Amino acid sequence: TRPDPLDRQRHTLLGKAGLALSAQQRLEVALEGVTQSDRYEVLSARSATTLDLRADDDSRRWRSSVSWQFDDPNAEWLQQASVQLYHQDARVRQVAFEDRTTTDRSRDNRYDETLTGLTAQGQINWGAQRVTLGLDASRNQVAGLRDGTNASAGDALPSKPFPDTDYRLVGAFVQGEFTQGDWQLVPALRVDHFSLSPSSAGYTAAAVKLSDSAVTPRLGVLWKGATGITPYAQWARGFKAPTPSQVNSGFSNPVQNYETIANPNLKAERADSRELGLRGDLSGWRWQLAVYDNHYDDFISQEVVSGGAPGTKIVFQSINLDDARIRGVEARLQGQLDRQWRLGLAYARARGDAERNGVRRPLDTVEPAKASVSLRQQLSAWHWEATLLHASGKRADRVYASNPFTPAGYTVLDLAGSWQISPVWSLQARIDNLTDRRYWRWSDVRGLTATSTALDAYTAPGRQFGLVLQAQL
């Protein structure tokens, strides 16, 4: 049950250059490159037939952008505006070699993304009234390939886990902020469209083409009649497009007797959200309390659609649930105890349910309640901070899966500090999970059964140390 050893090397390069075109306009170019190499020794995969498993993951990401910004509070009609054009290439390669008592095998998997996009936003002010307009558009070309030697029985290599896909998103919005006395009205309207166009080249299963559009309004109301306290209410409609992997997926593991299949009838997710809250800012203390109730139509969830009995194949598919509801409460408080010390408190709790084929059941993806306390001391050249996080345990009656593993609650203490050595150099250090607490996060173990023999492999990291020396030129 030892953790799988990992050796990681990460290199990041970021450069920006700006040019003032005038007192109101600025042009900026940014270039960023990230490479990362992970070397694993997968002790958890060893068995009577697997003597050793080593895996090498290499990823790289290059991003470039050019942006234009305009800021002129004295302009007659357009006071602020920005436009950014960006391009990103991301590549991931995962290579694994398995030393077996029979025939050794290897895997060589690749995942590529080429993303190009445009964002634009403008703001118009008339005294206390404001209108904001925006546009987002992107095109993402995704591709994947599974390769290697000695394929499992019933599997074929090379193969594609999903078809090469052209994924396009376009959205535009307009939002107003209109003030009359102590009241502020914030109406907004957004238009979204997505299209998902797969290629059948090299993909053996049926590839599904999908597109959809939606117009979603939003309305907010604020009252500023009391000093330091602002009650507000908000209603909004939402729209979420399915991802390419949710629509088209064709992976099968005959040895383990499971597979994932595409869903040609998958629909975009729609939401109807309501929120009531209070915000405050008094004597240097900022706080917020909010309660929300979100209703979803065609909620997207990956489910077991067939199988599960002993000896049968388990089939996974992303489907639309008939109805879903998530409601909860969130609270935050931040403020200065004195000139040096700052305190932060936060709490969040949610409950989710969904309906499928007329049966109401819990939403397993909803996290248990969490609370945190942070204390920070800020001096001229250095600061330190302690954060205490508590998460409640997951109740078995709030899990739909049968015989689930429901981890107990936990409390973790993290420490962090930094020292500004000079205007250029800074040093940051941190210790996470100071007490070396052994615990499980619900998001990591969701889907495991209480009788699983691999529970120890899913524990969160123990005590960790980090030290970063940074130069900003």
Side-chain angles (χ1 to χ4, degrees):
T1 60
R2 281 181 52 200
D4 293 336
L6 165 63
D7 182 7
R8 170 172 292 168
Q9 294 188 23
R10 182 180 177 91
H11 303 273
T12 303
L13 177 66
L14 173 65
K16 294 183 179 181
L19 174 65
L21 302 176
S22 67
Q24 297 79 27
Q25 301 183 65
R26 180 177 177 83
L27 192 67
E28 188 172 276
V29 176
L31 297 172
E32 181 183 18
V34 180
T35 63
Q36 181 170 306
S37 298
D38 293 338
R39 303 292 179 257
Y40 298 90
E41 184 179 359
V42 192
L43 303 178
S44 57
R46 293 183 180 179
S47 66
T49 57
T50 300
L51 304 178
D52 194 18
L53 176 61
R54 295 181 181 272
D56 297 340
D57 293 356
D58 294 297
S59 62
R60 66 176 181 87
R61 176 174 62 84
W62 295 99
R63 189 179 192 277
S64 59
S65 67
V66 56
S67 62
W68 169 81
Q69 291 130 28
F70 172 80
D71 190 354
D72 185 0
N74 299 317
E76 292 185 6
W77 66 282
L78 183 64
Q79 286 79 34
Q80 290 182 334
S82 63
V83 179
Q84 183 184 61
L85 180 66
Y86 59 89
H87 179 81
Q88 176 176 287
D89 283 312
R91 303 286 183 265
V92 179
R93 185 179 183 185
Q94 298 175 317
V95 178
F97 179 79
E98 192 171 354
D99 183 8
R100 298 170 59 85
T101 55
T102 55
T103 305
D104 297 341
R105 63 185 179 191
S106 65
R107 293 293 181 266
D108 187 354
N109 301 331
R110 305 187 184 198
Y111 178 79
D112 301 335
E113 281 192 8
T114 302
L115 175 66
T116 303
L118 171 72
T119 62
Q121 186 168 305
Q123 184 174 293
I124 306 170
N125 296 305
W126 298 286
Q129 322 307 324
R130 177 185 300 170
V131 174
T132 305
L133 303 98
L135 172 69
D136 299 299
S138 66
R139 179 189 182 189
N140 196 3
Q141 296 169 287
V142 297
L145 181 66
R146 298 175 59 248
D147 204 350
T149 59
N150 189 20
S152 303
D155 195 8
L157 295 173
S159 65
K160 285 184 171 292
F162 57 86
D164 297 348
T165 305
D166 190 320
Y167 188 48
R168 305 190 185 199
L169 301 171
V170 179
F173 74 90
V174 58
Q175 174 179 293
E177 298 175 49
F178 305 115
T179 302
Q180 183 64 44
D182 296 332
W183 293 90
Q184 185 178 52
L185 190 67
V186 186
L189 190 69
R190 183 177 176 91
V191 179
D192 286 283
H193 175 78
F194 83 92
S195 65
L196 193 152
S197 303
S199 169
S200 58
Y203 187 67
T204 56
V208 179
K209 191 174 183 179
L210 193 64
S211 65
D212 200 359
S213 302
V215 178
T216 51
R218 181 166 68 98
L219 179 63
V221 180
L222 297 88
W223 182 67
K224 300 181 179 181
T227 302
I229 300 178
T230 304
Y232 70 93
Q234 179 175 269
W235 167 81
R237 296 285 294 174
F239 176 81
K240 181 182 177 183
T243 63
S245 60
Q246 290 174 329
V247 177
N248 293 308
S249 181
F251 176 75
S252 177
N253 188 328
V255 174
Q256 299 297 327
N257 214 21
Y258 74 89
E259 68 174 339
T260 61
I261 60 175
N263 187 350
N265 301 312
L266 194 65
K267 301 176 183 177
E269 191 176 287
R270 286 169 166 80
D272 190 313
S273 304
R274 296 169 178 85
E275 182 179 338
L276 293 174
L278 294 171
R279 298 171 184 165
D281 191 345
L282 190 63
S283 300
W285 288 86
R286 299 178 59 187
W287 55 276
Q288 180 175 352
L289 175 65
V291 293
Y292 60 88
D293 191 352
N294 300 334
H295 292 256
Y296 300 88
D297 292 326
D298 298 321
F299 188 86
I300 299 174
S301 177
Q302 188 182 66
E303 304 278 330
V304 175
V305 294
S306 67
T312 63
K313 179 189 292 185
I314 300 177
V315 180
F316 296 91
Q317 186 182 44
S318 292
I319 65 171
N320 294 114
L321 300 181
D322 301 330
D323 177 63
R325 182 185 183 189
I326 300 176
R327 54 198 184 278
V329 59
E330 295 180 352
R332 292 182 180 274
L333 174 66
Q334 290 184 339
Q336 295 289 143
L337 299 174
D338 57 26
R339 295 182 60 184
Q340 295 184 3
W341 294 91
R342 184 175 183 84
L343 177 68
L345 305 173
Y347 176 78
R349 185 183 184 91
R351 180 186 177 97
D353 297 278
E355 185 174 310
R356 182 186 177 196
N357 299 328
V359 178
R360 201 75 182 171
R361 53 54 125 39
L363 265 179
D364 292 356
T365 53
V366 174
E367 291 285 321
K370 293 182 180 179
S372 66
V373 180
S374 64
L375 184 64
R376 177 188 176 104
Q377 185 185 27
Q378 180 71 59
L379 299 176
S380 58
W382 67 275
H383 89 271
W384 74 272
E385 183 174 6
T387 302
L388 192 69
L389 172 65
H390 174 76
S392 299
K394 188 69 174 180
R395 290 167 39 190
D397 63 346
R398 298 306 305 161
V399 182
Y400 175 66
S402 59
N403 191 29
F405 171 61
T406 52
Y410 59 87
T411 302
V412 178
L413 176 62
D414 300 333
L415 297 179
S418 71
W419 175 31
Q420 192 67 44
I421 304 172
S422 71
V424 173
W425 293 94
S426 64
L427 183 68
Q428 295 114 33
R430 65 179 301 111
I431 305 175
D432 293 330
N433 194 359
L434 178 67
T435 60
D436 202 24
R437 175 67 186 269
R438 180 175 179 264
Y439 67 99
W440 290 266
R441 302 187 187 100
W442 172 243
S443 58
D444 294 336
V445 301
R446 190 173 65 238
L448 293 181
T449 63
T451 56
S452 172
T453 59
L455 294 178
D456 284 343
Y458 291 86
T459 53
R463 186 185 297 113
Q464 300 178 86
F465 302 91
L467 189 65
V468 176
L469 180 65
Q470 181 172 323
Q472 291 186 325
L473 306 178

